[in-house]
Amino acid sequence: MKTVIIKYNAGNVQSVMYALERIGASYLLTDDEAEIRSADKVIFPGVGEASTAMAYLRQRGLDKVIPSLKQPVLGTCVGMQLLCRYSEEGNTTCMGVFDVDVRRFPATPGFKVPHTGWNNLTTMQGPLTEGLTENPYVYFVHSYCADVCPETIAVCDYVRPFSAMLHRDNFYAAQFHAEISGNVGQRILENFLDVDKRT
Amino acid sequence: MLTKRIIPCLDIKDGRTVKGTNFVNLRDAGDPVELGAIYAREGADELVFLDITATVDERKTLIELVRKVAHTVNIPFTVGGGISSIADVSALLNAGADKISINSSAVRNPDLVDELAQEFGSQCIVVAIDTRFVDGEHIVHTHGGRRPTELRTLAWAKEIENRGAGEILLTSMDTDGTKAGFAIELTAQISGAANIPVIASGGAGSMAHFVDVFTTGKADAGLAASIFHFKEIEIPALKRFLSQQGIPMRTTA
């Protein structure tokens, strides 16, 4: 099986690489269109600022490549946000795979932003959270989030309920960092890597 | 619900843990990778590795250590000690650290906080503050709390937040090592004023001390070293106790 991690200017790619190594999965880190298209699974990670990341993807034509992929794709953190319609961060038009916008957490007394730490998932659906215990904890660090929408497959609550995971066709996304979310995160990555056997 | 975090801290010298530990089932009590993995398995929410050496050769040992930890541990970990440039941070993040922590270098050159946040994002920049109560005021100290600065702790905490720090690691040199409890009032003051998470450190001696720091102290995370290393408090029991006290804790199956 060929797993590709999309290489771009967003940080945190290392953590994803190590997580795959821990579960014994091989991968290729690349921004080459042909390599990405020929992959069995594609992981689109991300940490950083949305408009800068989107500009970089546009320069390399990856903003057209990614939404047209047919194999299972997993976007994480900023990678998930860039798959949405629009992000308030840097007033950024994103790739529009998911029919939802990304907005900043409103300033609310008692809630620090970024939302940092372990929080739990609720109302989980679909193959990626298969085998997990009820309301499992995963690790979040983010200041922007997607509202709950028809494509939401897991909800988290901070200030208000938001989309912790999204799914449409072959596209999956997680707002949290599965790569450092303990055994729960590890299981989600494993589930993604054999998602075609689970659907 | 967002949980409070329990963070064991490991002091590292030449790639080895410095303070002794009381883990009988540890093959090598000085191996930070093995100790880190045990803590992760026991339910620690994050790990902090603090390198207390500084020479160039020892930095290479540290990078190698970070790589091994990243290969082994599946929870977030922070590396601190002797970091003073973008190149230092880049090397540690590339080796697999999730966050880095700076202390004296931020005091010497506050612009470093802005530069690091811009380059790598606030989420991975922890600024550690060592503070001591002197003549009725909380004053920032450097060099392991020995050298006072001109900075008042609350003002400095606000400044580093504005400059882009993602978290504050607040160590009270007055309570550190005493096992008499965290500096509750100061932690509450800083955490109440900051809009970024505050990790409280220094003084943990009992489970009740963690209750105090998470409730009255308003801390987002509690850090300790020797009480965990010497098993005076075990993490699963601590998290169970805190849960029973109504403090949100991550449960691990």
Side-chain angles (χ1 to χ4, degrees), chain A residues 14-15 18 21-22 47 112-113 118-120 137 139 141 180 182-183 186, chain B residues 1 3 45 67 70-71 73-74 94-95 98-99 123 191 195-196 220 250:
Chain A
Q14 294 293 336
S15 304
Y18 282 117
E21 284 171 28
R22 282 197 302 270
V47 161
K112 294 179 177 183
V113 177
W118 297 85
N119 203 334
N120 56 324
Y137 284 94
Y139 190 84
V141 187
I180 48 173
N183 296 340
Q186 195 161 312
Chain B
M1 190 174 198
T3 66
D45 296 306
R67 203 166 279 134
H71 266 288
V73 168
N74 60 12
N94 280 332
D98 298 297
K99 312 177 192 180
Q123 82 291 332
S191 192
N195 194 37
I196 53 176
D220 299 284
R250 175 178 71 120

PDB file of all heavy atoms in Angstrom, chain A residues 14-15 18 21-22 47 112-113 118-120 137 139 141 180 182-183 186, chain B residues 1 3 45 67 70-71 73-74 94-95 98-99 123 191 195-196 220 250:
ATOM      1  N   GLN A  14       6.458  16.196  10.593  1.00  0.00           N
ATOM      2  CA  GLN A  14       7.296  15.229  11.310  1.00  0.00           C
ATOM      3  C   GLN A  14       6.477  14.342  12.238  1.00  0.00           C
ATOM      4  O   GLN A  14       6.673  13.132  12.280  1.00  0.00           O
ATOM      5  CB  GLN A  14       8.355  15.957  12.149  1.00  0.00           C
ATOM      6  CG  GLN A  14       9.369  16.696  11.324  1.00  0.00           C
ATOM      7  CD  GLN A  14      10.248  15.768  10.518  1.00  0.00           C
ATOM      8  OE1 GLN A  14      10.428  14.608  10.872  1.00  0.00           O
ATOM      9  NE2 GLN A  14      10.784  16.265   9.431  1.00  0.00           N
ATOM     10  N   SER A  15       5.592  14.971  13.007  1.00  0.00           N
ATOM     11  CA  SER A  15       4.805  14.203  13.974  1.00  0.00           C
ATOM     12  C   SER A  15       3.950  13.154  13.269  1.00  0.00           C
ATOM     13  O   SER A  15       3.765  12.053  13.784  1.00  0.00           O
ATOM     14  CB  SER A  15       3.898  15.126  14.785  1.00  0.00           C
ATOM     15  OG  SER A  15       4.673  16.114  15.403  1.00  0.00           O
ATOM     16  N   TYR A  18       6.254  10.275  12.201  1.00  0.00           N
ATOM     17  CA  TYR A  18       6.588   9.407  13.329  1.00  0.00           C
ATOM     18  C   TYR A  18       5.407   8.530  13.723  1.00  0.00           C
ATOM     19  O   TYR A  18       5.580   7.363  14.071  1.00  0.00           O
ATOM     20  CB  TYR A  18       7.049  10.233  14.532  1.00  0.00           C
ATOM     21  CG  TYR A  18       8.471  10.699  14.395  1.00  0.00           C
ATOM     22  CD1 TYR A  18       8.780  12.049  14.335  1.00  0.00           C
ATOM     23  CD2 TYR A  18       9.515   9.778  14.323  1.00  0.00           C
ATOM     24  CE1 TYR A  18      10.087  12.494  14.206  1.00  0.00           C
ATOM     25  CE2 TYR A  18      10.824  10.201  14.193  1.00  0.00           C
ATOM     26  CZ  TYR A  18      11.113  11.561  14.139  1.00  0.00           C
ATOM     27  OH  TYR A  18      12.397  11.969  13.997  1.00  0.00           O
ATOM     28  N   GLU A  21       5.216   5.693  11.426  1.00  0.00           N
ATOM     29  CA  GLU A  21       6.290   4.749  11.722  1.00  0.00           C
ATOM     30  C   GLU A  21       5.940   3.900  12.949  1.00  0.00           C
ATOM     31  O   GLU A  21       6.224   2.699  12.980  1.00  0.00           O
ATOM     32  CB  GLU A  21       7.620   5.489  11.934  1.00  0.00           C
ATOM     33  CG  GLU A  21       8.220   5.957  10.607  1.00  0.00           C
ATOM     34  CD  GLU A  21       9.408   6.880  10.782  1.00  0.00           C
ATOM     35  OE1 GLU A  21      10.117   6.779  11.802  1.00  0.00           O
ATOM     36  OE2 GLU A  21       9.632   7.715   9.885  1.00  0.00           O
ATOM     37  N   ARG A  22       5.330   4.533  13.961  1.00  0.00           N
ATOM     38  CA  ARG A  22       4.969   3.794  15.180  1.00  0.00           C
ATOM     39  C   ARG A  22       3.980   2.668  14.887  1.00  0.00           C
ATOM     40  O   ARG A  22       4.002   1.640  15.542  1.00  0.00           O
ATOM     41  CB  ARG A  22       4.387   4.734  16.238  1.00  0.00           C
ATOM     42  CG  ARG A  22       5.432   5.547  16.989  1.00  0.00           C
ATOM     43  CD  ARG A  22       4.855   6.135  18.273  1.00  0.00           C
ATOM     44  NE  ARG A  22       3.705   6.984  18.025  1.00  0.00           N
ATOM     45  CZ  ARG A  22       3.753   8.303  17.801  1.00  0.00           C
ATOM     46  NH1 ARG A  22       4.909   8.926  17.811  1.00  0.00           N
ATOM     47  NH2 ARG A  22       2.663   8.984  17.582  1.00  0.00           N
ATOM     48  N   VAL A  47      -0.277  22.560  10.213  1.00  0.00           N
ATOM     49  CA  VAL A  47      -0.239  23.448  11.364  1.00  0.00           C
ATOM     50  C   VAL A  47       0.233  24.754  10.774  1.00  0.00           C
ATOM     51  O   VAL A  47       1.125  24.762   9.940  1.00  0.00           O
ATOM     52  CB  VAL A  47       0.782  22.964  12.417  1.00  0.00           C
ATOM     53  CG1 VAL A  47       1.149  24.100  13.358  1.00  0.00           C
ATOM     54  CG2 VAL A  47       0.233  21.811  13.222  1.00  0.00           C
ATOM     55  N   LYS A 112     -10.061  29.886  27.077  1.00  0.00           N
ATOM     56  CA  LYS A 112      -8.852  30.405  26.455  1.00  0.00           C
ATOM     57  C   LYS A 112      -8.790  29.971  24.993  1.00  0.00           C
ATOM     58  O   LYS A 112      -9.272  28.919  24.632  1.00  0.00           O
ATOM     59  CB  LYS A 112      -7.626  29.900  27.215  1.00  0.00           C
ATOM     60  CG  LYS A 112      -7.565  30.454  28.635  1.00  0.00           C
ATOM     61  CD  LYS A 112      -6.373  29.955  29.405  1.00  0.00           C
ATOM     62  CE  LYS A 112      -6.348  30.619  30.783  1.00  0.00           C
ATOM     63  NZ  LYS A 112      -5.173  30.227  31.572  1.00  0.00           N
ATOM     64  N   VAL A 113      -8.212  30.820  24.171  1.00  0.00           N
ATOM     65  CA  VAL A 113      -8.019  30.505  22.761  1.00  0.00           C
ATOM     66  C   VAL A 113      -6.537  30.686  22.458  1.00  0.00           C
ATOM     67  O   VAL A 113      -5.991  31.738  22.784  1.00  0.00           O
ATOM     68  CB  VAL A 113      -8.871  31.439  21.865  1.00  0.00           C
ATOM     69  CG1 VAL A 113      -8.609  31.149  20.395  1.00  0.00           C
ATOM     70  CG2 VAL A 113     -10.351  31.271  22.186  1.00  0.00           C
ATOM     71  N   TRP A 118      -6.628  18.099  25.809  1.00  0.00           N
ATOM     72  CA  TRP A 118      -7.412  16.893  25.525  1.00  0.00           C
ATOM     73  C   TRP A 118      -8.894  17.176  25.736  1.00  0.00           C
ATOM     74  O   TRP A 118      -9.300  17.640  26.797  1.00  0.00           O
ATOM     75  CB  TRP A 118      -6.979  15.756  26.434  1.00  0.00           C
ATOM     76  CG  TRP A 118      -5.559  15.335  26.246  1.00  0.00           C
ATOM     77  CD1 TRP A 118      -4.463  15.901  26.836  1.00  0.00           C
ATOM     78  CD2 TRP A 118      -5.062  14.282  25.416  1.00  0.00           C
ATOM     79  NE1 TRP A 118      -3.322  15.254  26.422  1.00  0.00           N
ATOM     80  CE2 TRP A 118      -3.655  14.250  25.557  1.00  0.00           C
ATOM     81  CE3 TRP A 118      -5.673  13.351  24.565  1.00  0.00           C
ATOM     82  CZ2 TRP A 118      -2.853  13.333  24.882  1.00  0.00           C
ATOM     83  CZ3 TRP A 118      -4.871  12.431  23.905  1.00  0.00           C
ATOM     84  CH2 TRP A 118      -3.481  12.431  24.059  1.00  0.00           C
ATOM     85  N   ASN A 119      -9.695  16.867  24.708  1.00  0.00           N
ATOM     86  CA  ASN A 119     -11.136  17.034  24.823  1.00  0.00           C
ATOM     87  C   ASN A 119     -11.779  15.803  24.174  1.00  0.00           C
ATOM     88  O   ASN A 119     -11.119  15.090  23.415  1.00  0.00           O
ATOM     89  CB  ASN A 119     -11.567  18.338  24.138  1.00  0.00           C
ATOM     90  CG  ASN A 119     -12.894  18.854  24.668  1.00  0.00           C
ATOM     91  OD1 ASN A 119     -13.725  18.088  25.158  1.00  0.00           O
ATOM     92  ND2 ASN A 119     -13.110  20.153  24.560  1.00  0.00           N
ATOM     93  N   ASN A 120     -13.063  15.574  24.492  1.00  0.00           N
ATOM     94  CA  ASN A 120     -13.629  14.323  24.007  1.00  0.00           C
ATOM     95  C   ASN A 120     -14.532  14.472  22.797  1.00  0.00           C
ATOM     96  O   ASN A 120     -15.086  15.530  22.532  1.00  0.00           O
ATOM     97  CB  ASN A 120     -14.329  13.558  25.148  1.00  0.00           C
ATOM     98  CG  ASN A 120     -15.386  14.390  25.805  1.00  0.00           C
ATOM     99  OD1 ASN A 120     -15.220  15.592  25.956  1.00  0.00           O
ATOM    100  ND2 ASN A 120     -16.490  13.776  26.155  1.00  0.00           N
ATOM    101  N   TYR A 137     -10.916  10.675  24.328  1.00  0.00           N
ATOM    102  CA  TYR A 137     -10.206  11.958  24.347  1.00  0.00           C
ATOM    103  C   TYR A 137      -9.135  12.024  23.265  1.00  0.00           C
ATOM    104  O   TYR A 137      -8.392  11.065  23.058  1.00  0.00           O
ATOM    105  CB  TYR A 137      -9.548  12.167  25.714  1.00  0.00           C
ATOM    106  CG  TYR A 137     -10.545  12.561  26.773  1.00  0.00           C
ATOM    107  CD1 TYR A 137     -11.125  11.601  27.593  1.00  0.00           C
ATOM    108  CD2 TYR A 137     -10.921  13.893  26.920  1.00  0.00           C
ATOM    109  CE1 TYR A 137     -12.063  11.959  28.549  1.00  0.00           C
ATOM    110  CE2 TYR A 137     -11.849  14.261  27.873  1.00  0.00           C
ATOM    111  CZ  TYR A 137     -12.422  13.287  28.688  1.00  0.00           C
ATOM    112  OH  TYR A 137     -13.350  13.655  29.626  1.00  0.00           O
ATOM    113  N   TYR A 139      -6.259  15.073  21.257  1.00  0.00           N
ATOM    114  CA  TYR A 139      -5.518  16.301  21.559  1.00  0.00           C
ATOM    115  C   TYR A 139      -5.759  17.389  20.501  1.00  0.00           C
ATOM    116  O   TYR A 139      -5.529  17.181  19.309  1.00  0.00           O
ATOM    117  CB  TYR A 139      -4.025  15.990  21.648  1.00  0.00           C
ATOM    118  CG  TYR A 139      -3.216  17.143  22.199  1.00  0.00           C
ATOM    119  CD1 TYR A 139      -3.095  17.338  23.568  1.00  0.00           C
ATOM    120  CD2 TYR A 139      -2.591  18.046  21.344  1.00  0.00           C
ATOM    121  CE1 TYR A 139      -2.375  18.403  24.076  1.00  0.00           C
ATOM    122  CE2 TYR A 139      -1.870  19.113  21.843  1.00  0.00           C
ATOM    123  CZ  TYR A 139      -1.766  19.281  23.211  1.00  0.00           C
ATOM    124  OH  TYR A 139      -1.048  20.338  23.712  1.00  0.00           O
ATOM    125  N   VAL A 141      -5.196  21.574  19.297  1.00  0.00           N
ATOM    126  CA  VAL A 141      -4.612  22.915  19.426  1.00  0.00           C
ATOM    127  C   VAL A 141      -5.105  23.728  18.235  1.00  0.00           C
ATOM    128  O   VAL A 141      -4.624  23.538  17.123  1.00  0.00           O
ATOM    129  CB  VAL A 141      -3.067  22.939  19.370  1.00  0.00           C
ATOM    130  CG1 VAL A 141      -2.560  24.335  19.674  1.00  0.00           C
ATOM    131  CG2 VAL A 141      -2.448  21.944  20.318  1.00  0.00           C
ATOM    132  N   ILE A 180      -0.711  12.619  17.752  1.00  0.00           N
ATOM    133  CA  ILE A 180      -0.209  12.672  19.129  1.00  0.00           C
ATOM    134  C   ILE A 180      -1.351  12.481  20.134  1.00  0.00           C
ATOM    135  O   ILE A 180      -1.270  12.927  21.270  1.00  0.00           O
ATOM    136  CB  ILE A 180       0.571  13.981  19.422  1.00  0.00           C
ATOM    137  CG1 ILE A 180      -0.202  15.205  18.938  1.00  0.00           C
ATOM    138  CG2 ILE A 180       1.962  13.927  18.828  1.00  0.00           C
ATOM    139  CD1 ILE A 180       0.445  16.534  19.345  1.00  0.00           C
ATOM    140  N   GLY A 182      -2.423   9.740  21.595  1.00  0.00           N
ATOM    141  CA  GLY A 182      -2.356   8.484  22.330  1.00  0.00           C
ATOM    142  C   GLY A 182      -2.874   7.304  21.517  1.00  0.00           C
ATOM    143  O   GLY A 182      -2.822   7.304  20.278  1.00  0.00           O
ATOM    144  N   ASN A 183      -3.378   6.299  22.232  1.00  0.00           N
ATOM    145  CA  ASN A 183      -3.864   5.089  21.562  1.00  0.00           C
ATOM    146  C   ASN A 183      -5.111   5.359  20.732  1.00  0.00           C
ATOM    147  O   ASN A 183      -5.348   4.690  19.736  1.00  0.00           O
ATOM    148  CB  ASN A 183      -4.158   3.998  22.600  1.00  0.00           C
ATOM    149  CG  ASN A 183      -2.885   3.572  23.323  1.00  0.00           C
ATOM    150  OD1 ASN A 183      -1.770   3.795  22.826  1.00  0.00           O
ATOM    151  ND2 ASN A 183      -3.040   2.973  24.491  1.00  0.00           N
ATOM    152  N   GLN A 186      -3.957   6.768  17.478  1.00  0.00           N
ATOM    153  CA  GLN A 186      -3.320   5.678  16.733  1.00  0.00           C
ATOM    154  C   GLN A 186      -4.374   4.804  16.046  1.00  0.00           C
ATOM    155  O   GLN A 186      -4.244   4.451  14.887  1.00  0.00           O
ATOM    156  CB  GLN A 186      -2.507   4.843  17.721  1.00  0.00           C
ATOM    157  CG  GLN A 186      -1.524   3.923  17.089  1.00  0.00           C
ATOM    158  CD  GLN A 186      -0.467   3.504  18.121  1.00  0.00           C
ATOM    159  OE1 GLN A 186       0.092   4.335  18.843  1.00  0.00           O
ATOM    160  NE2 GLN A 186      -0.227   2.220  18.198  1.00  0.00           N
TER     161      GLN A 186
ATOM    162  N   MET B   1     -15.551  17.654  27.338  1.00  0.00           N
ATOM    163  CA  MET B   1     -15.063  18.795  28.114  1.00  0.00           C
ATOM    164  C   MET B   1     -13.539  18.823  28.105  1.00  0.00           C
ATOM    165  O   MET B   1     -12.907  17.775  28.244  1.00  0.00           O
ATOM    166  CB  MET B   1     -15.564  18.663  29.555  1.00  0.00           C
ATOM    167  CG  MET B   1     -15.316  19.891  30.373  1.00  0.00           C
ATOM    168  SD  MET B   1     -16.088  19.702  31.999  1.00  0.00           S
ATOM    169  CE  MET B   1     -16.114  21.402  32.516  1.00  0.00           C
ATOM    170  N   THR B   3     -10.005  18.895  29.361  1.00  0.00           N
ATOM    171  CA  THR B   3      -9.520  18.415  30.657  1.00  0.00           C
ATOM    172  C   THR B   3      -8.335  19.240  31.147  1.00  0.00           C
ATOM    173  O   THR B   3      -7.679  19.927  30.376  1.00  0.00           O
ATOM    174  CB  THR B   3      -9.059  16.939  30.565  1.00  0.00           C
ATOM    175  OG1 THR B   3      -7.909  16.874  29.721  1.00  0.00           O
ATOM    176  CG2 THR B   3     -10.150  16.045  30.008  1.00  0.00           C
ATOM    177  N   ASP B  45      -0.586  13.300  30.387  1.00  0.00           N
ATOM    178  CA  ASP B  45      -1.230  13.974  29.261  1.00  0.00           C
ATOM    179  C   ASP B  45      -0.222  14.607  28.312  1.00  0.00           C
ATOM    180  O   ASP B  45      -0.532  14.873  27.156  1.00  0.00           O
ATOM    181  CB  ASP B  45      -2.194  15.036  29.790  1.00  0.00           C
ATOM    182  CG  ASP B  45      -3.310  14.395  30.582  1.00  0.00           C
ATOM    183  OD1 ASP B  45      -3.966  13.493  30.036  1.00  0.00           O
ATOM    184  OD2 ASP B  45      -3.502  14.775  31.765  1.00  0.00           O
ATOM    185  N   ARG B  67      14.522  12.379  18.861  1.00  0.00           N
ATOM    186  CA  ARG B  67      14.108  11.492  17.782  1.00  0.00           C
ATOM    187  C   ARG B  67      13.595  10.157  18.352  1.00  0.00           C
ATOM    188  O   ARG B  67      12.569   9.639  17.932  1.00  0.00           O
ATOM    189  CB  ARG B  67      15.314  11.265  16.863  1.00  0.00           C
ATOM    190  CG  ARG B  67      14.926  10.861  15.475  1.00  0.00           C
ATOM    191  CD  ARG B  67      16.097  10.971  14.515  1.00  0.00           C
ATOM    192  NE  ARG B  67      16.313  12.324  14.052  1.00  0.00           N
ATOM    193  CZ  ARG B  67      17.489  12.934  13.994  1.00  0.00           C
ATOM    194  NH1 ARG B  67      18.570  12.315  14.398  1.00  0.00           N
ATOM    195  NH2 ARG B  67      17.580  14.170  13.543  1.00  0.00           N
ATOM    196  N   ALA B  70      10.200  10.638  20.030  1.00  0.00           N
ATOM    197  CA  ALA B  70       9.137  10.803  19.029  1.00  0.00           C
ATOM    198  C   ALA B  70       8.761   9.460  18.399  1.00  0.00           C
ATOM    199  O   ALA B  70       7.611   9.250  18.028  1.00  0.00           O
ATOM    200  CB  ALA B  70       9.573  11.787  17.953  1.00  0.00           C
ATOM    201  N   HIS B  71       9.726   8.574  18.289  1.00  0.00           N
ATOM    202  CA  HIS B  71       9.448   7.252  17.732  1.00  0.00           C
ATOM    203  C   HIS B  71       8.658   6.382  18.680  1.00  0.00           C
ATOM    204  O   HIS B  71       8.044   5.402  18.272  1.00  0.00           O
ATOM    205  CB  HIS B  71      10.766   6.537  17.402  1.00  0.00           C
ATOM    206  CG  HIS B  71      11.181   6.723  15.981  1.00  0.00           C
ATOM    207  ND1 HIS B  71      10.537   6.118  14.944  1.00  0.00           N
ATOM    208  CD2 HIS B  71      12.145   7.502  15.426  1.00  0.00           C
ATOM    209  CE1 HIS B  71      11.096   6.480  13.806  1.00  0.00           C
ATOM    210  NE2 HIS B  71      12.075   7.332  14.063  1.00  0.00           N
ATOM    211  N   VAL B  73       6.780   7.633  21.791  1.00  0.00           N
ATOM    212  CA  VAL B  73       5.696   8.198  22.594  1.00  0.00           C
ATOM    213  C   VAL B  73       4.601   8.765  21.689  1.00  0.00           C
ATOM    214  O   VAL B  73       4.908   9.464  20.723  1.00  0.00           O
ATOM    215  CB  VAL B  73       6.279   9.299  23.513  1.00  0.00           C
ATOM    216  CG1 VAL B  73       5.188  10.113  24.146  1.00  0.00           C
ATOM    217  CG2 VAL B  73       7.158   8.662  24.587  1.00  0.00           C
ATOM    218  N   ASN B  74       3.325   8.460  22.008  1.00  0.00           N
ATOM    219  CA  ASN B  74       2.245   8.942  21.143  1.00  0.00           C
ATOM    220  C   ASN B  74       1.399  10.042  21.777  1.00  0.00           C
ATOM    221  O   ASN B  74       0.245  10.227  21.455  1.00  0.00           O
ATOM    222  CB  ASN B  74       1.376   7.767  20.665  1.00  0.00           C
ATOM    223  CG  ASN B  74       0.730   7.010  21.814  1.00  0.00           C
ATOM    224  OD1 ASN B  74       0.731   7.469  22.957  1.00  0.00           O
ATOM    225  ND2 ASN B  74       0.158   5.850  21.523  1.00  0.00           N
ATOM    226  N   ASN B  94      12.126  19.349  13.945  1.00  0.00           N
ATOM    227  CA  ASN B  94      12.394  18.362  12.894  1.00  0.00           C
ATOM    228  C   ASN B  94      12.692  16.999  13.471  1.00  0.00           C
ATOM    229  O   ASN B  94      12.417  15.975  12.842  1.00  0.00           O
ATOM    230  CB  ASN B  94      13.554  18.806  12.011  1.00  0.00           C
ATOM    231  CG  ASN B  94      13.102  19.816  10.984  1.00  0.00           C
ATOM    232  OD1 ASN B  94      11.944  19.813  10.575  1.00  0.00           O
ATOM    233  ND2 ASN B  94      13.985  20.704  10.591  1.00  0.00           N
ATOM    234  N   ALA B  95      13.263  16.965  14.654  1.00  0.00           N
ATOM    235  CA  ALA B  95      13.546  15.680  15.297  1.00  0.00           C
ATOM    236  C   ALA B  95      12.283  15.062  15.891  1.00  0.00           C
ATOM    237  O   ALA B  95      12.295  13.919  16.317  1.00  0.00           O
ATOM    238  CB  ALA B  95      14.615  15.846  16.366  1.00  0.00           C
ATOM    239  N   ASP B  98       7.034  18.214  19.781  1.00  0.00           N
ATOM    240  CA  ASP B  98       5.787  18.881  19.421  1.00  0.00           C
ATOM    241  C   ASP B  98       5.803  20.345  19.816  1.00  0.00           C
ATOM    242  O   ASP B  98       5.184  21.182  19.171  1.00  0.00           O
ATOM    243  CB  ASP B  98       4.607  18.174  20.100  1.00  0.00           C
ATOM    244  CG  ASP B  98       4.498  16.738  19.630  1.00  0.00           C
ATOM    245  OD1 ASP B  98       4.261  16.549  18.427  1.00  0.00           O
ATOM    246  OD2 ASP B  98       4.692  15.827  20.454  1.00  0.00           O
ATOM    247  N   LYS B  99       6.513  20.662  20.900  1.00  0.00           N
ATOM    248  CA  LYS B  99       6.621  22.043  21.354  1.00  0.00           C
ATOM    249  C   LYS B  99       8.026  22.252  21.893  1.00  0.00           C
ATOM    250  O   LYS B  99       8.701  21.298  22.266  1.00  0.00           O
ATOM    251  CB  LYS B  99       5.646  22.349  22.497  1.00  0.00           C
ATOM    252  CG  LYS B  99       4.222  21.902  22.280  1.00  0.00           C
ATOM    253  CD  LYS B  99       3.364  22.209  23.517  1.00  0.00           C
ATOM    254  CE  LYS B  99       2.028  21.502  23.432  1.00  0.00           C
ATOM    255  NZ  LYS B  99       1.168  21.748  24.584  1.00  0.00           N
ATOM    256  N   GLN B 123       1.386  27.623  18.603  1.00  0.00           N
ATOM    257  CA  GLN B 123       0.996  26.367  19.260  1.00  0.00           C
ATOM    258  C   GLN B 123       2.198  25.586  19.782  1.00  0.00           C
ATOM    259  O   GLN B 123       2.055  24.776  20.687  1.00  0.00           O
ATOM    260  CB  GLN B 123       0.131  25.508  18.334  1.00  0.00           C
ATOM    261  CG  GLN B 123       0.878  24.667  17.313  1.00  0.00           C
ATOM    262  CD  GLN B 123       1.549  25.495  16.224  1.00  0.00           C
ATOM    263  OE1 GLN B 123       1.085  26.584  15.900  1.00  0.00           O
ATOM    264  NE2 GLN B 123       2.641  24.994  15.677  1.00  0.00           N
ATOM    265  N   SER B 191      -2.986  33.056  35.505  1.00  0.00           N
ATOM    266  CA  SER B 191      -3.910  32.326  34.645  1.00  0.00           C
ATOM    267  C   SER B 191      -5.177  33.125  34.385  1.00  0.00           C
ATOM    268  O   SER B 191      -5.759  33.055  33.307  1.00  0.00           O
ATOM    269  CB  SER B 191      -4.246  30.969  35.252  1.00  0.00           C
ATOM    270  OG  SER B 191      -4.917  30.169  34.308  1.00  0.00           O
ATOM    271  N   ASN B 195      -4.749  34.857  28.379  1.00  0.00           N
ATOM    272  CA  ASN B 195      -5.717  34.130  27.576  1.00  0.00           C
ATOM    273  C   ASN B 195      -5.076  32.912  26.906  1.00  0.00           C
ATOM    274  O   ASN B 195      -5.574  32.375  25.935  1.00  0.00           O
ATOM    275  CB  ASN B 195      -6.361  35.055  26.540  1.00  0.00           C
ATOM    276  CG  ASN B 195      -7.593  34.426  25.918  1.00  0.00           C
ATOM    277  OD1 ASN B 195      -8.354  33.734  26.587  1.00  0.00           O
ATOM    278  ND2 ASN B 195      -7.764  34.609  24.626  1.00  0.00           N
ATOM    279  N   ILE B 196      -3.918  32.504  27.404  1.00  0.00           N
ATOM    280  CA  ILE B 196      -3.277  31.272  26.929  1.00  0.00           C
ATOM    281  C   ILE B 196      -3.122  30.344  28.136  1.00  0.00           C
ATOM    282  O   ILE B 196      -3.133  30.808  29.278  1.00  0.00           O
ATOM    283  CB  ILE B 196      -1.910  31.543  26.243  1.00  0.00           C
ATOM    284  CG1 ILE B 196      -0.994  32.374  27.149  1.00  0.00           C
ATOM    285  CG2 ILE B 196      -2.116  32.240  24.909  1.00  0.00           C
ATOM    286  CD1 ILE B 196       0.396  32.604  26.587  1.00  0.00           C
ATOM    287  N   ASP B 220      -4.242  25.410  33.974  1.00  0.00           N
ATOM    288  CA  ASP B 220      -4.721  24.534  32.912  1.00  0.00           C
ATOM    289  C   ASP B 220      -4.005  23.191  32.954  1.00  0.00           C
ATOM    290  O   ASP B 220      -4.517  22.197  32.460  1.00  0.00           O
ATOM    291  CB  ASP B 220      -4.503  25.211  31.555  1.00  0.00           C
ATOM    292  CG  ASP B 220      -5.272  26.507  31.468  1.00  0.00           C
ATOM    293  OD1 ASP B 220      -6.500  26.431  31.278  1.00  0.00           O
ATOM    294  OD2 ASP B 220      -4.678  27.593  31.652  1.00  0.00           O
ATOM    295  N   ARG B 250      -8.602  13.420  31.544  1.00  0.00           N
ATOM    296  CA  ARG B 250      -8.649  12.470  30.434  1.00  0.00           C
ATOM    297  C   ARG B 250      -8.553  11.061  31.001  1.00  0.00           C
ATOM    298  O   ARG B 250      -7.632  10.749  31.757  1.00  0.00           O
ATOM    299  CB  ARG B 250      -7.479  12.698  29.482  1.00  0.00           C
ATOM    300  CG  ARG B 250      -7.398  11.654  28.378  1.00  0.00           C
ATOM    301  CD  ARG B 250      -6.262  11.948  27.428  1.00  0.00           C
ATOM    302  NE  ARG B 250      -4.970  11.719  28.007  1.00  0.00           N
ATOM    303  CZ  ARG B 250      -4.064  10.843  27.548  1.00  0.00           C
ATOM    304  NH1 ARG B 250      -4.341  10.123  26.491  1.00  0.00           N
ATOM    305  NH2 ARG B 250      -2.902  10.713  28.134  1.00  0.00           N
TER     306      ARG B 250
END
